[in-house]
Amino acid sequence: MTLKLAFDVYGTLVDPMGMADLLEQDAGESAEAVSALWREKQLEFSFRKGLMRVYEDFGVCTRQALRYAMATYKLDLTSDREDELMAAYLSLPAFDDALPALKALKGDYPLFAFSNGSYPALEKVLGHNNLLDQFEGLVSVDDIKSFKPDPAVYTYARRATGAWDEPLCLVSSNAWDVIGARAAGLKAVWVQRDTNKVFEDWGIEPSAVINSLSELPAALKHL
């Protein structure tokens, strides 16, 4: 059976903290903290909307989280500047290991991008980083109006990638995503980019742990 790979996008292939530099003109020395809170609340808002069954696409969560982060630090944004930052989010930088890893894997495994982001957002950010052409397809939660780690999302990923009778492996730097995938019966590789990050002790373990996507080809041989 052919192992199919589903790559998380935000935090795994592209770096949400890449917004910190742009935020310097708005937040000064607090730019990195604002960027981190923006990302934290983006995820929290998507989790809550999924649980509440009041789906709005990931871009809405991102905008609402930006407003929250700025308000927390008592910073003002004009509507035009907010739109600029939201547009910039579609051009987040890729991690240096992303494209080489995908090129190394292409041809040996069917590759898919699997994200909370909408299709237009994924096409934009992946295309901006020359990653889009490495994938056989994109899988967005927008199709079923929920968010990871809803088990229905991972079940949908099986259907969308054709992995009903074949194994599907998530590749993600987000521990909560790895736990969600494992709980739903998928294999999952955790990309521990920061060695100080701790994997939550839920009794659910990743199929493998790597520190860089460059280690993925070797890790997959042992799954």
Side-chain angles (χ1 to χ4, degrees):
M1 292 189 293
T2 301
L3 177 66
K4 297 185 176 183
L5 303 180
F7 286 82
D8 171 65
V9 175
Y10 298 101
T12 304
L13 298 177
V14 302
D15 185 7
M17 288 302 293
M19 293 301 297
D21 290 344
L22 284 178
L23 283 167
E24 284 185 1
Q25 78 174 70
D26 309 287
E29 293 181 355
S30 299
E32 194 163 322
V34 171
S35 183
L37 183 59
W38 183 5
R39 171 62 171 167
E40 176 187 330
K41 285 296 176 177
Q42 175 199 49
L43 293 173
E44 180 190 325
F45 290 175
S46 70
F47 296 161
R48 287 162 54 188
K49 289 175 189 289
L51 286 169
M52 293 164 63
R53 298 291 187 257
V54 288
Y55 178 83
E56 295 178 285
D57 81 38
F58 205 49
V60 173
C61 299
T62 303
R63 187 181 292 271
Q64 291 172 342
L66 171 60
R67 290 174 178 171
Y68 178 92
M70 295 298 288
T72 296
Y73 283 84
K74 297 180 171 54
L75 299 168
D76 294 321
L77 276 184
T78 65
S79 58
D80 286 346
R81 179 57 176 162
E82 182 181 285
D83 287 344
E84 284 179 12
L85 290 171
M86 287 297 299
Y89 207 87
L90 300 177
S91 301
L92 287 170
F95 288 104
D96 291 341
D97 58 359
L99 184 57
L102 293 175
K103 285 183 173 180
L105 293 162
K106 190 175 182 181
D108 292 332
Y109 302 92
L111 309 181
F112 296 85
F114 171 37
S115 178
N116 278 340
S118 65
Y119 287 111
L122 294 178
E123 289 170 358
K124 179 74 173 178
V125 74
L126 293 173
H128 174 74
N129 291 288
N130 298 315
L131 302 178
L132 187 60
D133 291 343
Q134 304 304 314
F135 294 106
E136 289 194 13
L138 307 180
V139 181
S140 169
V141 304
D142 201 43
D143 287 333
I144 60 168
K145 310 304 183 197
S146 188
F147 289 106
K148 301 177 192 177
D150 183 342
V153 171
Y154 300 102
T155 298
Y156 175 71
R158 283 190 183 278
R159 182 165 76 246
T161 60
W164 284 120
D165 300 319
E166 296 174 312
L168 179 63
C169 180
L170 173 76
V171 180
S172 180
S173 66
N174 298 301
W176 56 266
D177 194 12
V178 170
I179 290 171
R182 294 291 287 146
L186 276 63
K187 296 180 183 295
V189 175
W190 184 36
V191 187
Q192 187 188 16
R193 293 191 177 279
D194 181 352
T195 55
N196 292 316
K197 281 198 171 181
V198 176
F199 196 84
E200 293 96 337
D201 185 8
W202 285 27
I204 300 174
E205 298 296 329
S207 306
V209 179
I210 57 178
N211 298 126
S212 165
L213 289 174
S214 63
E215 300 169 14
L216 185 56
L220 291 173
K221 294 177 181 178
H222 302 287
L223 293 188

